[in-house]
């Protein structure tokens, strides 16, 4: 009986894992989001994995063994619960598939503050501290420059923990 499982892939080798797993007849899915980035001074849109390094696979372990999947180039291991690979609820996967292309799930660089902009942290360990926005650190975090003991320190904080001054 086929089930969805979660794999951990080797660093930056999700595409390689997909190609090799497809050859074995394994259905693969890793949700992606469109992100606007500044590359070589120009704003460009590109797709990035929503969960970097992770991929969902759909297969029957009686037809293809766990060892075969785990030994595939680009794959590091299964996410496990105890000794057995953890299954993922199909509703979660189908929900991700349906929401992947919706506008509200698109991450845009314009929603981030501009580098050098002064902000105030509203939550977390740096609550109440004024900071200077540096750059995004993935989709949910940002690098901020804060002043600790008279020295500027670069820290990574949750995006929801900042508010513009």
């Amino acid at each position: 009986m086929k089930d969805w499982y979660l794999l951990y892939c080797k660093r930056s080798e999700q595409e390689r894992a997909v190609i090799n797993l497809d050859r074995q007849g394994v259905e693969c899915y890793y949700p992606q989001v469109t992100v606007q980035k500044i590359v070589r001074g120009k704003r460009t849109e590109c797709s990035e994995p929503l969960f970097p390094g992770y991929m969902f696979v759909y297969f029957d372990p009686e037809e293809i063994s766990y060892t075969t999947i785990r030994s595939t180039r680009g794959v590091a291991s299964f996410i496990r619960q105890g000794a057995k690979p953890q299954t993922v609820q199909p509703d979660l996967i189908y929900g991700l598939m349906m929401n992947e292309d919706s506008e509200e799930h698109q991450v845009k660089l314009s929603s981030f503050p501009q580098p050098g902009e002064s902000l105030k942290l509203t939550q977390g360990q740096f609550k109440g501290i004024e900071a200077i926005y540096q750059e995004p650190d993935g989709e949910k975090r940002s690098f901020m420059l804060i002043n600790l003991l008279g020295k500027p320190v670069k820290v990574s904080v949750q995006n929801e923990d900042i508010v513009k001054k």
Side-chain angles (χ1 to χ4, degrees), residues 6-25:
L6 183 59
L7 288 178
Y8 180 67
C9 296
K10 294 177 182 172
R11 183 181 170 112
S12 302
E13 292 197 20
Q14 282 176 296
E15 287 293 328
R16 177 185 231 178
V18 168
I19 291 166
N20 291 308
L21 289 167
D22 271 346
R23 289 181 186 153
Q24 298 173 40

Side-chain angles (χ1 to χ4, degrees), residues 2-153:
K2 288 187 170 186
D3 279 316
W4 284 99
Y5 297 90
L6 183 59
L7 288 178
Y8 180 67
C9 296
K10 294 177 182 172
R11 183 181 170 112
S12 302
E13 292 197 20
Q14 282 176 296
E15 287 293 328
R16 177 185 231 178
V18 168
I19 291 166
N20 291 308
L21 289 167
D22 271 346
R23 289 181 186 153
Q24 298 173 40
V26 176
E27 185 178 340
C28 303
Y29 174 65
Y30 63 100
Q32 297 189 343
V33 294
T34 302
V35 180
Q36 286 188 5
K37 288 186 166 185
I38 297 177
V39 179
R40 296 186 191 111
K42 295 183 181 178
R43 190 178 301 252
T44 59
E45 283 193 2
C46 60
S47 291
E48 288 187 351
L50 184 60
F51 309 112
Y54 294 91
M55 173 189 325
F56 300 101
V57 291
Y58 186 65
F59 71 100
D60 183 352
E62 293 181 9
E63 292 178 15
I64 303 170
S65 73
Y66 295 122
T67 306
T68 303
I69 303 286
R70 196 191 68 226
S71 300
T72 302
R73 291 181 71 128
V75 174
S77 64
F78 280 94
I79 301 302
R80 301 178 176 274
Q81 181 175 7
K84 187 177 178 184
Q86 177 67 45
T87 59
V88 178
Q89 294 297 320
D91 294 344
L92 173 69
I93 305 299
Y94 301 131
L96 286 169
M97 287 177 175
M98 290 179 64
N99 289 328
E100 184 174 8
D101 292 325
S102 70
E103 280 300 315
E104 61 195 53
H105 289 274
Q106 302 294 321
V107 177
K108 301 292 182 189
L109 186 63
S110 60
S111 66
F112 288 108
Q114 296 300 314
E117 190 173 338
S118 293
L119 306 166
K120 188 169 188 170
L121 302 174
T122 60
Q123 297 176 3
Q125 63 189 18
F126 300 110
K127 181 178 180 178
I129 294 179
E130 292 184 12
I132 299 172
Y133 182 82
Q134 293 292 297
E135 62 187 5
D137 177 20
E139 297 161 29
K140 300 280 187 191
R141 301 184 65 81
S142 295
F143 282 117
M144 309 295 285
L145 193 61
I146 63 171
N147 199 359
L148 287 178
L149 302 174
K151 273 186 127 172
V153 178

